[in-house]
Amino acid sequence: MGPFVLAIDQGTSSTKALLVDSAGDIAARASAPVSVSHPGPGLVEQDAAEVLASVRAAVAACTDGVDPASVAGIGLSTQRESVVLWEAATGRPVAPLVSWQDQRGAPRAAELARAGHADLVRRRTGLPLDPMFSALKMAALLDEHDPGRDRSRQGELRLGTVDAWLLTSLTGDFVTEIGNASRTQLLDLRGGDWDAELLELFDVPRAALPDVVSSTGPFGAVRDLPPLPAGVPVLAVLGDSHAALFAHAGWRRGVVKVTYGTGSSVMTAADAPGTDGAVCDTIAWSVKEVTFAHEANIRSSGRTLTWLAELLDVPADRVVELAAEADAGGVTLVPAFGGLGAPWWDPQAVPVLAGFDFGTGRAQLARAALESVAHQVDDVLAAMPRVRRVVADGGLTRSTALMRLQADLGGVEVARSRHHQLSAGGAADLAGLVLNWWTMPDLERRADTDLEVFTPSWSEEQRGRAVALWRRRLEAARELGARPPERTS
């Protein structure tokens, strides 16, 4: 058997591993869960050591019964924006991993905005001043663990996104992939390296950060990832959303990738940075040359359904089933948990549930939650130019009701991949490209197979009514969030 590429997708709730052969077929797969904690309002953390252990567990399970020598290389995709702080000498994390969902940087973001720095940050990085991105998390970690910045300036403490943490732990090389680096709000998007003015603005010492390399490295080779022998090279690294776009052959213009996960990433390739502010600019990947992308991030999509499942004390799959059984009956849920992401970028917005009465049941709530996912994506699609086709991946794509609704709301074709592990698949695709196992045209042909296509069926009047109701209630979420709290006495 073999040779194989081992693809590792380290995500928020689990780490997945795939073994892919030189024909592009999946020979084995495995996963390992990762826990998430919420130690306080707006705080979302994980255990960095547990994240690393989940990678080891997924790899060991995926390669069980396979000759380790048959693994020719590794492709890695990772959750983005999340931050780890660790000791250079020991490799030991000195704080919990701060999740991309964490909002602890919100006060500092507001302070920087009031001081007039938002335009500079947006011009240099393509990103709005928002606590989702890494720089504010890095500053908060250093404020707590190195307030004078003495240890970080000496390189004794290291900061990095999850790709840097895993690469350092597995290979010993302190590097980060350029697409992941572009999500930190410290990278000059056009220059492709750390920006001195931004480092000063966020008070993050350069000595604490990894070197920035392309999506094909060099990344080094693993030295401690049983059962693989030492020396297996890491060939490709991508952020998880970028990897899913790559798996869809998303370098083709007009293709918009939507990943329906805990949150949602809506991304399309672009020739150059430059948006009106509703969506972000980012670096999709660098393979021979840089490919830019426009991207929007939705904070709560799948998480909205799991929240409702917890509230109703039913499995999350049951919420998806209930949502397919009835219409919402006029109920709208605006899931502004921690504010709204793109295209509104309103951290003050609050969740709103409207239109319910004594006849409202579980099915109507479930349907409203599902519809909230489609509406948030549709808001983003309306802000993106020349959308030709939406390609969908992620766990929620199993909901046919959601896919149909997405096509109807946007009046656009939606193609659902029959393969759910697209982030791991994209990492494998790029690693195999490095090995010359296939070409870009080969990947385009592969991406266009095994798709289920949904075409819009609503009239313009139906779409208009649905969007108008959603927008009214979304504005209510924003208006309520902007009001000062009433005094009680």
Side-chain angles (χ1 to χ4, degrees):
M1 297 175 62
F4 299 109
V5 160
L6 173 64
I8 303 167
D9 174 32
Q10 201 301 296
T12 307
S13 58
S14 68
T15 297
K16 304 175 185 69
L18 298 178
L19 269 183
V20 179
D21 66 21
S22 56
D25 295 324
I26 297 173
R29 67 182 77 215
S31 66
V34 181
S35 60
V36 180
S37 64
H38 301 267
L43 304 182
V44 187
E45 297 178 348
Q46 296 185 280
D47 183 332
E50 182 191 358
V51 167
L52 178 60
S54 75
V55 170
R56 297 189 187 282
V59 168
C62 187
T63 55
D64 185 36
V66 174
D67 179 4
S70 66
V71 177
I74 295 169
L76 176 66
S77 82
T78 59
Q79 58 170 302
R80 309 173 303 162
E81 293 108 14
S82 302
V83 174
V84 182
L85 175 68
W86 70 96
E87 291 180 336
T90 66
R92 182 181 64 84
V94 299
L97 179 155
V98 179
S99 169
W100 60 273
Q101 300 168 294
D102 189 277
Q103 295 288 299
R104 72 187 65 195
R108 176 66 173 152
E111 179 185 324
L112 291 172
R114 286 193 298 269
H117 297 298
D119 286 345
L120 168 68
V121 172
R122 182 75 197 219
R123 284 197 315 273
R124 296 280 175 85
T125 71
L127 307 172
L129 256 177
D130 188 273
M132 183 180 79
F133 303 110
S134 308
L136 290 160
K137 306 178 199 298
M138 291 177 173
L141 281 171
L142 290 178
D143 286 346
E144 182 176 355
H145 298 280
D146 188 26
R149 305 305 195 256
D150 298 325
R151 296 189 68 196
S152 48
R153 285 197 181 94
Q154 294 297 319
E156 295 175 10
L157 293 180
R158 289 178 168 178
L159 278 165
T161 44
V162 170
D163 68 312
W165 160 244
L166 294 178
L167 287 166
T168 303
S169 301
L170 297 174
T171 73
D173 287 8
F174 188 37
V175 296
T176 189
E177 182 266 335
I178 191 169
N180 278 286
S182 75
R183 309 299 296 173
T184 62
Q185 216 149 55
L186 296 173
L187 190 89
D188 180 343
L189 203 64
R190 291 165 179 82
D193 206 351
W194 304 123
D195 183 280
E197 193 170 357
L198 293 172
L199 293 174
E200 182 177 358
L201 179 68
F202 288 102
D203 198 12
V204 176
R206 170 65 184 87
L209 294 173
D211 292 332
V212 180
V213 299
S214 82
S215 305
T216 53
F219 297 114
V222 296
R223 55 186 185 181
D224 183 20
L225 186 59
L228 302 187
V232 175
V234 179
L235 301 173
V237 175
L238 294 164
D240 51 8
S241 294
H242 310 222
L245 183 66
F246 198 88
H248 285 296
W251 50 83
R252 297 172 291 181
R253 301 304 184 260
V255 173
V256 180
K257 181 273 309 177
V258 182
T259 298
Y260 295 87
T262 304
S264 283
S265 162
V266 186
M267 182 184 284
T268 187
D271 295 321
T275 64
D276 62 3
V279 298
C280 302
D281 291 316
T282 197
I283 292 174
W285 50 73
S286 177
V287 181
K288 296 183 179 176
E289 61 183 22
V290 170
T291 296
F292 294 97
H294 302 319
E295 184 184 17
N297 298 100
I298 296 164
R299 288 197 174 98
S300 185
S301 50
R303 183 65 184 100
T304 305
L305 276 77
T306 58
W307 165 79
L308 184 60
E310 293 161 4
L311 191 68
L312 299 177
D313 194 24
V314 298
D317 285 348
R318 180 57 183 151
V319 173
V320 175
E321 293 169 1
L322 285 167
E325 295 173 1
D327 64 35
V331 179
T332 303
L333 172 60
V334 181
F337 300 103
L340 290 168
W344 312 108
W345 296 110
D346 186 348
Q348 293 182 300
V350 296
V352 162
L353 179 66
F356 59 94
D357 58 25
F358 287 127
T360 300
R362 298 192 305 173
Q364 287 75 37
L365 293 175
R367 181 69 183 195
L370 192 76
E371 289 183 359
S372 77
V373 176
H375 275 294
Q376 289 180 99
V377 170
D378 187 59
D379 286 345
V380 169
L381 294 176
M384 286 189 163
R386 298 180 299 280
V387 178
R388 179 172 57 85
R389 169 185 267 193
V390 171
V391 288
D393 63 83
L396 264 183
T397 60
R398 69 185 184 275
S399 169
T400 296
L402 176 60
M403 297 294 95
R404 286 179 177 150
L405 179 61
Q406 197 71 76
D408 287 336
L409 273 177
V412 66
E413 184 179 275
V414 175
R416 171 170 66 183
S417 174
R418 299 185 193 276
H419 304 289
H420 298 299
Q421 296 180 352
L422 266 289
S423 293
D429 286 347
L430 183 52
L433 198 65
V434 173
L435 291 169
N436 296 314
W437 285 1
W438 39 71
T439 65
M440 301 284 268
D442 291 335
L443 293 177
E444 290 179 8
R445 287 189 290 272
R446 186 188 303 169
D448 289 336
T449 61
D450 290 330
L451 293 176
E452 185 177 3
V453 178
F454 299 84
T455 56
S457 61
W458 282 4
S459 67
E460 286 297 322
E461 183 182 0
Q462 284 176 289
R463 292 176 55 206
R465 286 199 307 268
V467 170
L469 177 62
W470 165 257
R471 292 287 175 85
R472 286 199 303 273
R473 288 171 175 171
L474 183 140
E475 284 305 315
R478 301 184 70 188
E479 290 170 8
L480 287 168
R483 293 178 188 174
E486 295 182 4
R487 290 181 177 272
T488 58
S489 59

